[in-house]
């Protein structure tokens, strides 16, 4: 439900909600804005999505805050669900142990209830809101609000299916010096990281990394490419990693444009010995790319530099998954 609400607010902000969805969208927006407008964090989260509706970091921050509010207040959860439905339901769903009946159809589950991509904890509050969500779900698809690209976990940007990479193809996604802007030197060649059993269970098939230097050992650039067995596996891994990072709140997020399928970046706060460093995680189809840039000659690693490298790596990953040789460069950037 929360993912749906965030997408509605974003599409209301950028004007892509259809006429069918505008009424529901306005109702949902009013309920959420009234609640989150009570705190500075809430106002900031809403403002960030209003200003950059397509920014996955802004969407993820709003989602985390909204989820916390819904979990803490069943009445607010009810109000959101009713707004999604467009009107209060005529009657509540009849429930039985471990199941819910909606117009003669049963959704079964002991701990969670899944309706398409929406998963709800099987609690009293969730059972109350499920009917409203079900009523609006197919309407949102028809209105073009729920279907299509998600802000946070939204399918491939490539027109062609993204295939899983072999070990050799994963290594070739990594750039060499000829692909990088001038000034970098390579400390070592690409190196494979052996996947642990936990990594294998997450769908990781192979990973490679390479490190470059600039000026001194303080000026480091590390790039890793992690290949997964499928897009579903890579998306689940990315989503879990991003949500954990957002939940800790330890590292300030860095605004990034939409690159690849999903991307987020953060800096390190003062006092941990990595001031001026930036780290980015990006998903491109079945591949996740990690880029970490340390300060260069005492100067912070600029977000513009990170963006240039991310665009190059996104294109190289797309080329490899499309069966082509990765040839994209940032040499002239």
């Amino acid at each position: 439900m929360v993912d749906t609400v965030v997408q509605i607010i974003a599409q209301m902000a950028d004007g892509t909600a259809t006429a069918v969805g505008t009424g529901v969208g306005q109702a949902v927006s009013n309920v959420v804005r009234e609640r989150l407008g009570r705190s500075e964090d809430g106002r900031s989260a809403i403002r960030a999505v209003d200003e950059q509706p397509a920014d996955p970091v802004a969407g993820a921050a709003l989602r985390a805050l909204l989820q916390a509010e819904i979990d803490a207040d069943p009445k607010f959860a009810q109000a959101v669900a009713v707004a999604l439905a467009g009107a209060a339901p005529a009657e509540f769903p009849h429930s039985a142990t471990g199941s819910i009946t909606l117009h003669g159809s049963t959704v079964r589950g002991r701990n969670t209830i899944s309706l398409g991509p929406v998963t709800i904890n099987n609690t009293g509050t969730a059972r109350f809101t499920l009917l409203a969500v079900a009523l609006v779900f197919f309407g949102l698809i028809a209105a073009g609000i729920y279907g299509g690209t998600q802000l946070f976990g939204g399918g491939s940007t490539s027109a062609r299916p993204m295939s899983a990479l072999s070990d050799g193809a994963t290594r070739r996604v990594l750039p060499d010096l000829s692909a990088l802007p001038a000034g970098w030197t390579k400390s070592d060649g690409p190196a494979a990281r052996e996947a642990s059993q936990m990594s294998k269970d997450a769908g990781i098939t192979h990973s490679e990394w390479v490190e470059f230097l600039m000026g001194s050992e303080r000026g480091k650039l590390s790039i890793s490419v992690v290949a997964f067995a499928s897009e579903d596996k890579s998306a689940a891994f990315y989503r879990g990693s991003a949500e954990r990072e957002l939940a800790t709140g330890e590292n300030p997020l860095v605004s990034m444009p939409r690159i690849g399928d999903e991307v987020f970046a953060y800096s390190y706060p003062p006092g941990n010995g990595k001031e001026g460093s930036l780290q980015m995680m990006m998903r491109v189809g079945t591949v996740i790319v990690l880029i970490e840039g340390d300060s260069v000659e005492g100067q912070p690693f600029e977000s513009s530099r990170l963006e240039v490298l991310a665009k190059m790596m996104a294109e190289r990953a797309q080329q490899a998954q499309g069966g082509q040789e990765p040839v994209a460069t940032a040499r002239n950037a």
Side-chain angles (χ1 to χ4, degrees):
M1 180 171 71
V2 174
D3 287 336
T4 306
V5 172
V6 172
Q7 178 130 14
I8 289 173
I9 291 175
Q11 294 205 358
M12 291 291 292
D14 68 12
T16 57
T18 64
V20 176
T22 300
V24 170
Q26 191 61 60
V28 171
S29 178
N30 290 343
V31 171
V32 171
R33 289 172 187 275
E34 191 280 329
R35 175 58 174 248
L36 297 188
R38 301 175 187 176
S39 69
E40 180 57 37
D41 287 345
R43 291 191 293 271
S44 296
I46 288 288
R47 185 166 55 250
V49 173
D50 284 343
E51 293 174 354
Q52 294 183 305
D55 183 358
V57 173
L62 177 59
R63 180 190 182 283
L65 189 60
L66 186 58
Q67 184 68 64
E69 293 288 334
I70 285 176
D71 290 344
D73 188 347
K75 290 185 178 180
F76 176 55
Q78 173 188 343
V80 172
V82 170
L84 277 169
E91 60 177 311
F92 301 142
H94 302 288
S95 63
T97 302
S99 66
I100 299 173
T101 301
L102 302 177
H103 300 291
S105 298
T106 301
V107 181
R108 300 186 183 277
R110 297 181 60 186
N111 299 316
T112 59
I113 303 160
S114 294
L115 183 63
V118 181
T119 301
I120 306 173
N121 291 330
N122 193 354
T123 64
T125 301
R127 287 193 293 271
F128 179 81
T129 63
L130 184 59
L131 177 59
V133 175
L135 289 174
V136 77
F137 181 70
F138 294 104
L140 290 174
I141 294 176
I145 294 177
Y146 194 83
T149 301
Q150 304 289 315
L151 292 178
F152 199 69
S156 174
T157 57
S158 173
R160 291 183 291 179
M162 293 293 206
S163 60
L165 296 183
S166 66
D167 293 359
T170 302
R171 172 168 291 200
R172 290 194 295 275
V173 174
L174 290 173
D176 56 21
L177 281 177
S178 66
L180 294 183
W184 292 99
T185 61
K186 186 163 56 177
S187 56
D188 292 302
R193 285 194 176 101
E194 184 176 354
S196 65
Q197 186 57 50
M198 184 179 295
S199 297
K200 293 176 182 177
D201 291 343
I204 295 176
T205 58
H206 190 66
S207 63
E208 296 271 348
W209 72 285
V210 66
E211 185 176 88
F212 302 90
L213 300 177
M214 178 178 279
S216 73
E217 291 190 2
R218 282 287 296 163
K220 288 184 180 178
L221 169 66
S222 299
I223 301 178
S224 300
V225 177
V226 185
F228 287 78
S230 67
E231 286 197 60
D232 288 344
K233 293 289 188 181
S234 64
F237 187 94
Y238 172 91
R239 190 174 301 114
S241 300
E243 289 179 348
R244 282 192 296 273
E245 180 62 37
L246 290 168
T248 64
E250 296 177 355
N251 301 318
L253 294 176
V254 175
S255 179
M256 291 286 289
R258 177 68 177 268
I259 306 173
D261 296 317
E262 302 171 292
V263 63
F264 77 96
Y266 58 88
S267 60
Y268 293 92
N272 69 351
K274 294 181 71 68
E275 291 90 343
S277 299
L278 298 179
Q279 185 158 2
M280 185 212 73
M281 173 180 278
M282 172 177 63
R283 184 179 71 84
V284 184
T286 65
V287 166
I288 285 179
V289 176
L290 304 170
I291 302 176
E292 182 168 5
D294 289 342
S295 59
V296 179
E297 295 295 337
Q299 298 299 313
F301 197 95
E302 298 175 354
S303 59
S304 58
R305 187 196 301 266
L306 186 64
E307 182 180 332
V308 166
L309 295 169
K311 289 179 178 178
M312 175 190 69
M313 291 305 299
E315 187 173 353
R316 291 179 71 90
Q318 288 180 347
Q319 289 169 339
Q321 291 174 83
Q324 304 172 13
E325 186 66 22
V327 296
T329 74
R331 191 66 181 172
N332 297 322

